[in-house]
Amino acid sequence: MKQIYNLLFLVFGIFTINAQTTVVTTGTTNPYRLSLSGNDLYISEFNSGIISKLDITAPLPTTKSNVITGLNRPMGIVATGNYIYVAEHFGNKISRIDISAPTATMSTVISGLNNPTGLAIKGDELYYAETGSNSIFKINLTDAVPTAVLVANAFNAPYGIFFKNDILYIAEFSGNKVSTLDVASGATTGTDFITDFNSPIDLTINGNTLYVAEYTANKVSKVDILAAVPTKEDLVSGVQTPIGLAANTSEVYIAEFDANKISKYNLPTLSADGFVLSKSLQLYPNPSSNFIKVSNMEKALNYTVYNSLGQQVLKGKVEKNESIDIQNLSSDLYLFKLEDGNTLKFIKK
């Protein structure tokens, strides 16, 4: 076991920042929205009326394959289980594609809509945005004949929507902002989250990081949604009319509308070189499975914990001689960064 821990420290110590934009495929026609399901990335191709997919584990650049054709300007797309739900913007309807059989089939879920755009699923309910009415609606997917229920209105061109727990994040294209809506509270209007975007058209969340496609700025931004004062930062610039996003723990996939391609941004892993390791402070017990303490502390300090992928997994404030509960963390090697600049390593068994 000791050899394994030593190996983990060695591997962790040589991690480097790996952040670059890579072409995934160039074979799409005006790709609009993306949805990840396992290793499959589904793509709505706006002008060609196609839903296509590609395997994100295939060597790059890869070739996409068509799932189904004949849609009327498909925009929002969300894949779940054996189904893909698609907002047909000019068709004013939401369609469902059954991908359980070798040949996909399509049926109408609800019609008579007003230019539907973004889609998001929460439980048995499908939420959709309409730019024609500047509203958010929902339907229950278990109903034999789903009926639209108004959730909230008074948005300014809502194009992209995404859930984080009960909070629906909404990209308001003409409002140049991202707003939020707590669907559990019964609120009927959104709350401004960040208001200085440049034509935000889609968004996605992985962990506690919000990624936003800024269409006319040709860039993708990121926001820590748990920050006391959420502030946007550039993730990647120089992408051509980014219009759709999908993310997992290691990559952000970007639909570049005018470039007719899908690219990806490799999220950075931690580099131990970027931290000043403390010699005076220590974490104990280390390794540990239940809790850790910081020795030789003189005052309370804020801390942040990062896993071996560089993802923030824990944050808080620790007092002198206080125990920090790590029972819910996975077995891994972690960096424990204090606000005074000290950084320590520990292993969760």
Side-chain angles (χ1 to χ4, degrees):
M1 183 64 71
K2 184 176 180 180
Q3 290 178 331
I4 294 175
Y5 291 151
N6 289 339
L7 178 61
L8 282 170
F9 274 108
L10 176 62
V11 172
F12 193 84
I14 62 174
F15 274 166
T16 57
I17 295 297
N18 177 22
Q20 58 183 349
T21 303
T22 306
V23 174
V24 177
T25 186
T26 57
T28 57
T29 303
N30 299 124
Y32 203 93
R33 288 295 157 82
L34 307 173
S35 182
L36 269 171
S37 180
N39 291 327
D40 290 324
L41 179 67
Y42 292 92
I43 307 157
S44 63
E45 300 187 44
F46 184 74
N47 283 330
S48 62
I50 293 172
I51 302 300
S52 56
K53 73 171 183 177
L54 56 84
D55 182 350
I56 62 172
T57 65
L60 300 180
T62 188
T63 302
K64 59 98 174 180
S65 60
N66 291 345
V67 176
I68 203 163
T69 61
L71 290 92
N72 194 346
R73 296 298 195 269
M75 282 192 173
I77 180 173
V78 58
T80 176
N82 290 324
Y83 298 110
I84 304 169
Y85 293 90
V86 184
E88 297 191 54
H89 189 65
F90 286 1
N92 289 314
K93 65 181 179 179
I94 294 172
S95 297
R96 181 174 66 189
I97 303 167
D98 186 341
I99 55 174
S100 60
T103 301
T105 57
M106 184 167 58
S107 59
T108 297
V109 177
I110 188 171
S111 59
L113 309 184
N114 195 349
N115 299 131
T117 52
L119 300 179
I121 286 181
K122 181 174 174 58
D124 292 328
E125 294 178 321
L126 175 68
Y127 287 71
Y128 64 90
E130 283 188 351
T131 53
S133 65
N134 286 319
S135 302
I136 305 294
F137 292 85
K138 68 177 180 179
I139 58 174
N140 193 313
L141 295 173
T142 64
D143 291 344
V145 181
T147 302
V149 176
L150 177 64
V151 177
N153 55 18
F155 297 102
N156 198 344
Y159 270 88
I161 58 176
F162 198 91
F163 267 110
K164 174 69 173 180
N165 300 322
D166 289 329
I167 305 300
L168 184 67
Y169 289 79
I170 303 134
E172 299 191 50
F173 182 80
S174 298
N176 291 316
K177 65 182 179 180
V178 169
S179 54
T180 60
L181 183 71
D182 185 347
V183 299
S185 71
T188 57
T189 56
T191 300
D192 288 353
F193 183 63
I194 295 183
T195 59
D196 61 345
F197 288 104
N198 195 338
S199 304
I201 198 163
D202 195 27
L203 41 72
T204 191
I205 297 174
N206 186 266
N208 295 315
T209 303
L210 168 71
Y211 300 100
V212 181
E214 298 192 58
Y215 186 74
T216 55
N218 292 316
K219 68 179 181 179
V220 177
S221 299
K222 65 176 182 177
V223 181
D224 180 356
I225 61 175
L226 295 184
V229 181
T231 306
K232 73 167 188 171
E233 302 175 36
D234 287 355
L235 178 74
V236 59
S237 58
V239 288
Q240 191 172 345
T241 52
I243 201 166
L245 299 175
N248 56 27
T249 57
S250 55
E251 297 111 359
V252 177
Y253 291 86
I254 306 165
E256 298 187 49
F257 188 78
D258 288 339
N260 292 315
K261 70 179 181 181
I262 308 298
S263 57
K264 73 172 181 176
Y265 180 88
N266 294 324
L267 294 170
T269 54
L270 279 182
S271 171
D273 295 336
F275 295 91
V276 179
L277 299 179
S278 170
K279 295 182 180 179
S280 58
L281 301 182
Q282 292 184 350
L283 291 173
Y284 70 96
N286 190 7
S288 177
S289 57
N290 297 315
F291 69 92
I292 52 173
K293 289 186 176 183
V294 185
S295 66
N296 302 319
M297 282 187 63
E298 296 181 356
K299 62 179 181 179
L301 291 170
N302 293 317
Y303 68 89
T304 308
V305 177
Y306 299 88
N307 64 16
S308 58
L309 295 176
Q311 300 163 333
Q312 178 184 302
V313 295
L314 194 64
K315 66 188 301 185
K317 187 173 185 178
V318 60
E319 303 282 347
K320 186 176 181 180
N321 297 321
E322 181 183 9
S323 296
I324 300 171
D325 187 354
I326 61 169
Q327 293 183 78
N328 292 330
L329 295 182
S330 302
S331 297
D332 198 0
L333 176 65
Y334 293 90
L335 283 187
F336 183 92
K337 186 176 182 182
L338 291 161
E339 64 177 320
D340 65 356
N342 283 309
T343 299
L344 305 166
K345 297 177 182 178
F346 73 92
I347 291 174
K348 166 65 190 302
K349 293 193 291 186

